[in-house]
């Protein structure tokens, strides 16, 4: 059953939190907490308050099912998306769904609210069917069709954010995204015992180094998939995170948000989505609020080498005046950024983060962030849980968080001049990210200070890993899309009017297309490039053809005296349609493997959205 505890942002207790450190000082953290208190003494804005209330029995499970894309289990309707999602689940994921649905149905029966479907009807369980129990399966290939691909060929990817120096097999740990985390996780008695007396180490060099291995399908970043497919990734991530916590014997805790009050206009204290709606009217495609981008830009241009940047506070009076002036002059571009001192700009940045009506990492999942540090001892397992939580974030939160963490990485890279280590930066940002305004306080004192600082440290150090979509989730999205297509085709077969329309459209359009496809033999794809002078090209694939090879061929064919050379050079190969919405391919992707997995896809070269 989902927990209803820890409903508020954790309270920070100095003595308890420092006991979780290995004789390491948290002085920067507490100085920042005091600075936050001093800056807010002028009065609280009631428009920024958040209300969190306990849920009735069964409500948390109902909300979980809805958030996991399984609202059809509650409504009893035969929604194709929900059915397609259920058909893709691993055994541990199905067990997690079954557990929550069973709790929900038992509660509803007690309340006599309405008739609910039996869990055996959903999962096809009868008296002779064994119950779901977590079981480790062989890794799921990223293609989603296990019998079509031979044993994957792996390729190491060295990432500066993941390693401080060139990794060696003796010190670097391997990470793979091919298999479900919940299926492969192993918990033994030693792990559980170590949780009780876990101490967070201040020394940044104690963090392990990871090698991320590429399969032949390459790596996929969050922005490489369509919004519709990312919505499905979010559903699957919640189910997988729940199954992962179940496998570790940990209760997944979520806050139930009843009301979030925020301002409808302005710059500070305004929801990210509201800011983006306004900014996108001027600059379509904006993913990070313009005011946030400008603050980061100002600090990157002049503040990265400033000693104590982020730690040393600016003048409270100046920051307050600058905020008021920004609110009045930012949108008409009359604000003078040259007069903003670096420490004041850092103060404005932290104020923006702190005053968001909903925390950047969402109020709903803050307990889950804290739990991953306090209940999981191994860094690799913490990283896997954190990875799934990042996949769960709303698009606006995730894009803004990515911009912030990229800036913080630059701050740490200038440590020799600004004297800000990874741990220093983490201690300063933690209270700004994990303390938020609320109407009531949690009476339970928690040792959350060191935990939240450790979370921020993981976010900064391993950010390039965390914004990579796990391959096994992409595999499941492909299966969902295939199942949805099959269901849609079955529905269309029984619609006579649609069938007549399809016959007419077939006569008008399908015959020429068939002739075109007949001209393309097996193993050959036609790649379209609207921005090139040669707008399409047939490419014969072999086992060694990569996405970057196709890009290079188009570039070579179109590089003779063209004035659009710069415009066409920064393009990517996209896989579009079939069992995926839109997928920007890694330059190292082996295209024949993708072709076998998605033979009905179309292929296009176009600029990658930033």
């Amino acid at each position: 059953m989902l927990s209803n505890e820890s409903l508020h942002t954790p309270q920070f207790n100095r003595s308890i939190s420092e006991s979780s450190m290995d004789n390491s000082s948290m002085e920067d953290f507490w100085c920042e907490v005091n600075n936050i208190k001093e800056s807010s003494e002028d009065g609280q804005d009631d428009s920024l308050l958040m209300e969190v209330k306990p849920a009735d029995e069964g409500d948390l499970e109902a909300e979980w099912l809805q958030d996991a894309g399984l609202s059809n289990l509650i409504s009893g309707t035969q929604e194709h998306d929900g059915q397609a999602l259920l058909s893709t689940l691993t055994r541990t994921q199905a067990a997690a769904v079954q557990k929550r649905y069973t709790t929900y149905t038992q509660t509803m029966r007690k309340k006599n609210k309405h008739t609910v479907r039996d869990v055996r009807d959903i999962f096809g369980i009868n008296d002779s069917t064994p119950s779901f129990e977590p079981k480790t399966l062989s890794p799921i290939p990223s293609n989603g069709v296990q019998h079509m691909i031979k044993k994957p060929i792996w390729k190491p990817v060295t990432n500066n954010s993941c390693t401080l120096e060139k990794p060696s097999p003796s010190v670097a740990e391997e990470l793979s995204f091919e298999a479900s985390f919940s299926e492969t996780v192993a918990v033994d008695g030693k792990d559980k015992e170590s949780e009780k007396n876990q101490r967070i180490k201040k020394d940044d060099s104690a963090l392990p180094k990871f090698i991320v291995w590429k399969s032949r399908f390459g790596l996929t970043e969050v922005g490489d998939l369509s919004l519709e497919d990312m919505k499905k990734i979010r559903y699957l991530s919640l189910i997988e995170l729940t199954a992962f916590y179940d496998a570790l014997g940990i209760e997944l805790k979520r806050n139930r948000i009843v009301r979030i009050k925020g301002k409808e206009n302005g710059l500070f204290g305004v929801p990210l989505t509201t800011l983006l709606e306004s900014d996108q009217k001027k600059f379509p495609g904006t993913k990070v609020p313009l005011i946030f981008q400008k603050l980061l830009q100002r600090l990157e241009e002049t503040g990265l080498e400033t000693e104590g940047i982020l730690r040393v506070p600016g003048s409270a009076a100046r920051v307050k005046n600058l905020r008021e002036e920004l609110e009045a002059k930012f949108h008409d571009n009359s604000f003078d950024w040259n007069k903003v001192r670096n420490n004041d700009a850092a103060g404005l940045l932290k104020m923006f983060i702190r005053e968001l009506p909903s925390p950047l990492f969402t109020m709903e999942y803050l307990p889950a962030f804290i739990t991953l540090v306090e209940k999981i001892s191994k860094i690799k397992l913490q990283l896997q849980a954190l990875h799934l939580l990042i996949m769960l974030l709303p698009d606006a939160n995730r894009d803004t968080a990515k911009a912030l963490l990229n800036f913080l990485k630059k701050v740490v890279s200038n440590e020799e001049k600004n004297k800000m280590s990874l741990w220093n930066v983490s201690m300063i940002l933690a209270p700004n990210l994990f303390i938020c305004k609320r109407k009531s306080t949690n009476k339970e004192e928690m040792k959350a200070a060191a935990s939240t600082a450790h979370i921020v440290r993981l976010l900064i150090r391993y950010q390039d890993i965390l914004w990579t979509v796990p391959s096994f989730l992409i595999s499941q999205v492909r299966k969902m899309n295939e199942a949805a297509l099959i269901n849609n085709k079955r529905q269309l077969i029984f619609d006579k009017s649609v069938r007549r329309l399809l016959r007419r459209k077939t006569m008008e359009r399908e015959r020429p297309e068939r002739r075109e496809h007949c001209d393309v033999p097996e193993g050959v794809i036609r790649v379209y490039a609207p921005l090139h002078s040669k707008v399409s090209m047939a490419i014969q694939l072999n086992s060694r053809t990569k996405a970057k090879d196709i890009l290079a061929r188009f570039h070579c064919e179109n590089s003779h005296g063209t004035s659009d050379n710069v415009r066409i050079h920064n393009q990517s190969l996209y896989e579009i349609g079939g069992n995926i919405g839109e997928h920007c391919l890694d330059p190292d992707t082996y295209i024949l493997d993708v072709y076998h997995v998605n033979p009905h896809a179309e292929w296009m070269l176009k600029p990658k959205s930033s």
Side-chain angles (χ1 to χ4, degrees):
M1 181 174 177
L2 294 177
S3 173
N4 200 23
E5 299 175 1
S6 299
L7 290 173
H8 309 289
T9 303
Q11 290 290 297
F12 297 105
N13 179 275
R14 183 165 187 150
S15 60
I16 296 177
S17 65
E18 288 193 354
S19 68
S20 65
M21 298 294 298
D22 54 343
N23 298 321
S24 299
S25 172
M26 292 288 294
E27 204 61 39
D28 284 347
F29 184 98
W30 299 116
C31 287
E32 184 66 15
V33 170
N34 289 332
N35 291 334
I36 293 173
K37 289 180 179 179
E38 291 175 2
S39 67
S40 61
E41 284 180 353
D42 293 336
Q44 297 287 343
D45 185 351
D46 289 339
S47 66
L48 302 179
L49 293 176
M50 176 180 300
E51 191 172 348
V52 183
K53 289 186 177 180
D56 294 333
E57 188 177 8
D59 286 350
L60 286 172
E61 284 73 18
E63 290 181 4
W64 185 92
L65 290 168
Q66 290 176 340
D67 292 345
L70 296 171
S71 57
N72 61 306
L73 300 186
I74 300 173
S75 63
T77 59
Q78 298 294 320
E79 297 178 12
H80 295 316
D81 287 346
Q83 292 175 335
L85 177 56
L86 286 172
S87 70
T88 71
L89 301 183
T90 66
R91 287 179 63 88
T92 52
Q93 291 172 353
V97 173
Q98 181 179 334
K99 180 179 178 181
R100 273 78 198 167
Y101 184 73
T102 299
T103 302
Y104 167 74
T105 55
Q106 290 173 348
T107 304
M108 292 302 102
R109 288 192 180 102
K110 290 179 183 178
K111 294 182 176 182
N112 295 320
K113 285 195 171 181
H114 55 79
T115 303
V116 293
R117 297 168 63 189
D118 193 285
V119 68
R120 292 173 294 183
D121 297 333
I122 298 170
F123 291 98
I125 302 173
N126 54 45
D127 294 337
S128 61
T129 304
S131 60
F132 284 101
E133 293 182 1
K135 180 180 178 182
T136 301
L137 303 180
S138 58
I140 304 172
S142 59
N143 56 26
V145 186
Q146 192 163 0
H147 65 276
M148 298 182 70
I149 300 296
K150 298 179 181 180
K151 184 177 180 181
I153 298 176
W154 303 104
K155 179 178 179 180
V157 179
T158 304
N159 199 311
N160 291 334
S161 69
C162 305
T163 57
L164 294 177
E165 56 190 54
K166 187 175 180 180
S168 64
S170 61
V171 297
E173 190 170 0
E174 174 185 330
L175 282 180
S176 172
F177 302 144
E178 298 298 298
S180 162
F181 299 157
S182 61
E183 293 285 348
T184 56
V185 67
V187 181
D188 56 31
K190 293 180 180 179
D191 286 331
K192 293 183 178 180
E193 185 67 24
S194 65
E195 293 169 7
K196 299 177 182 178
N197 299 310
Q198 180 186 353
R199 299 175 69 85
I200 298 171
K201 296 181 179 180
K202 172 187 172 183
D203 186 5
D204 295 331
S205 63
L207 292 176
K209 299 164 185 162
F210 291 110
I211 295 179
V212 182
W213 293 88
K214 278 188 183 182
S215 74
R216 290 178 64 87
F217 294 87
L219 298 177
T220 300
E221 297 178 1
V222 167
D224 292 342
L225 294 175
S226 66
L227 293 178
E228 189 61 30
D229 283 343
M230 278 307 303
K231 183 179 179 181
K232 296 167 187 172
I233 291 289
R234 194 172 291 116
Y235 292 154
L236 290 162
S237 296
L238 176 55
I239 297 173
E240 172 66 11
L241 177 67
T242 308
F244 184 76
Y245 274 46
D246 285 351
L248 290 168
I250 300 171
E251 194 170 26
L252 177 62
K253 298 178 180 180
R254 300 201 305 168
N255 285 330
R256 185 170 184 253
I257 310 303
V258 177
R259 181 178 56 179
I260 299 177
K261 298 173 62 178
K263 297 193 301 184
E264 296 181 358
N265 51 61
L267 300 175
F268 294 81
V270 180
L272 289 173
T273 51
T274 302
L275 288 170
L276 287 173
E277 287 174 5
S278 176
D279 293 341
Q280 287 167 357
K281 293 176 181 178
K282 296 182 178 180
F283 302 97
T286 300
K287 295 183 178 181
V288 178
L290 295 178
I291 178 61
F292 195 72
Q293 291 187 46
K294 190 61 181 178
L295 287 169
L296 293 178
Q297 179 185 348
R298 175 64 182 174
L299 286 166
E300 287 184 13
E301 289 174 350
T302 64
L304 290 179
E305 296 182 358
T306 301
E307 185 170 338
I309 191 65
L310 297 175
R311 182 180 66 232
V312 178
S315 165
R318 282 200 308 269
V319 170
K320 181 181 178 181
N321 291 333
L322 287 169
R323 169 182 172 157
E324 293 174 353
E325 192 174 349
L326 273 168
E327 294 278 11
K329 298 181 178 181
F330 179 75
H331 288 299
D332 61 10
N333 296 321
S334 61
F335 182 80
D336 183 9
W337 286 96
N338 292 324
K339 68 180 181 181
V340 181
R341 303 181 187 184
N342 293 329
N343 291 329
D344 292 342
L348 288 167
L349 178 71
K350 292 185 290 184
M351 180 182 289
F352 178 90
I353 296 168
R354 199 166 57 245
E355 295 195 0
L356 287 172
S358 177
L360 191 57
F361 294 108
T362 73
M363 188 64 180
E364 185 178 12
Y365 290 105
L366 284 190
F369 277 93
I370 303 301
T371 299
L372 76 87
V373 176
E374 296 185 345
K375 299 294 184 181
I376 302 176
S377 58
K378 291 185 176 180
I379 297 290
K380 183 177 180 179
L381 298 181
Q382 291 177 357
L383 191 58
Q384 288 176 325
L386 194 57
H387 199 164
L388 294 170
L389 283 165
I390 294 299
M391 293 297 108
L392 275 172
L393 291 178
D395 295 328
N397 295 60
R398 189 174 50 236
D399 292 336
T400 303
K402 183 178 182 180
L404 172 64
L405 293 172
N406 185 54
F407 162 71
L408 297 179
K409 179 172 67 174
K410 295 176 182 178
V411 173
V412 175
S413 67
N414 284 273
E415 179 184 354
E416 289 187 4
K417 294 183 178 179
N418 61 35
K419 310 302 180 186
M420 294 295 291
S421 68
L422 176 59
W423 183 245
N424 292 144
V425 173
S426 302
M427 282 192 293
I428 297 301
L429 265 294
N432 290 280
L433 288 166
F434 291 98
I435 292 179
C436 73
K437 300 177 187 296
R438 58 195 181 279
K439 297 186 73 172
S440 57
T441 57
N442 186 2
K443 296 180 181 179
E444 180 185 1
E445 293 181 328
M446 301 175 64
K447 55 177 184 180
S451 297
T452 55
H454 181 62
I455 292 169
V456 177
R457 178 165 60 167
L458 295 179
L459 287 166
I460 298 172
R461 171 59 62 86
Y462 302 117
Q463 58 184 279
D464 290 344
I465 293 174
L466 298 173
W467 263 260
T468 302
V469 183
S471 302
F472 69 89
L473 293 180
I474 299 175
S475 166
Q476 290 183 275
V477 168
R478 290 187 187 276
K479 291 179 181 179
M480 279 187 67
N481 291 336
E482 289 171 353
L485 285 172
I486 292 172
N487 288 332
N488 290 336
K489 287 180 180 179
R490 288 174 179 170
Q491 183 179 0
L492 290 174
I493 288 174
F494 295 100
D495 191 328
K496 293 183 180 180
S497 62
V498 173
R499 285 163 58 185
R500 287 195 296 269
L501 177 63
L502 285 176
R503 282 197 296 269
R504 186 162 64 250
K505 293 297 182 182
T506 297
M507 295 175 62
E508 296 172 357
R509 298 179 180 176
E510 195 171 277
R511 287 175 183 172
E513 290 181 5
R514 284 180 176 176
R515 285 198 298 271
E516 181 181 347
H517 285 299
C518 289
D519 293 337
V520 181
E522 181 73 16
V524 176
I525 63 172
R526 180 162 292 281
V527 181
Y528 296 90
L531 297 181
H532 290 252
S533 57
K534 187 171 185 177
V535 296
S536 72
M537 189 184 302
I539 305 290
Q540 174 68 61
L541 302 178
N542 59 48
S543 61
R544 300 182 302 278
T545 306
K546 295 183 179 182
K548 63 184 179 183
D549 299 327
I550 296 176
L551 290 167
R553 182 168 175 181
F554 265 91
H555 181 63
C556 180
E557 292 281 345
N558 291 272
S559 61
H560 304 292
T562 176
S563 59
D564 294 331
N565 198 23
V566 176
R567 183 167 62 111
I568 67 176
H569 188 66
N570 297 318
Q571 294 192 334
S572 298
L573 178 62
Y574 280 77
E575 164 200 11
I576 301 174
N579 57 27
I580 204 77
E582 183 173 285
H583 185 194
C584 180
L585 297 173
D586 186 322
D588 289 324
T589 300
Y590 288 88
I591 303 303
L592 187 60
D593 295 67
V594 182
Y595 170 79
H596 285 155
V597 171
N598 193 7
H600 300 295
E602 295 184 352
W603 310 86
M604 182 177 293
L605 297 187
K606 62 178 184 176
K608 183 176 180 179
S609 59
S610 58

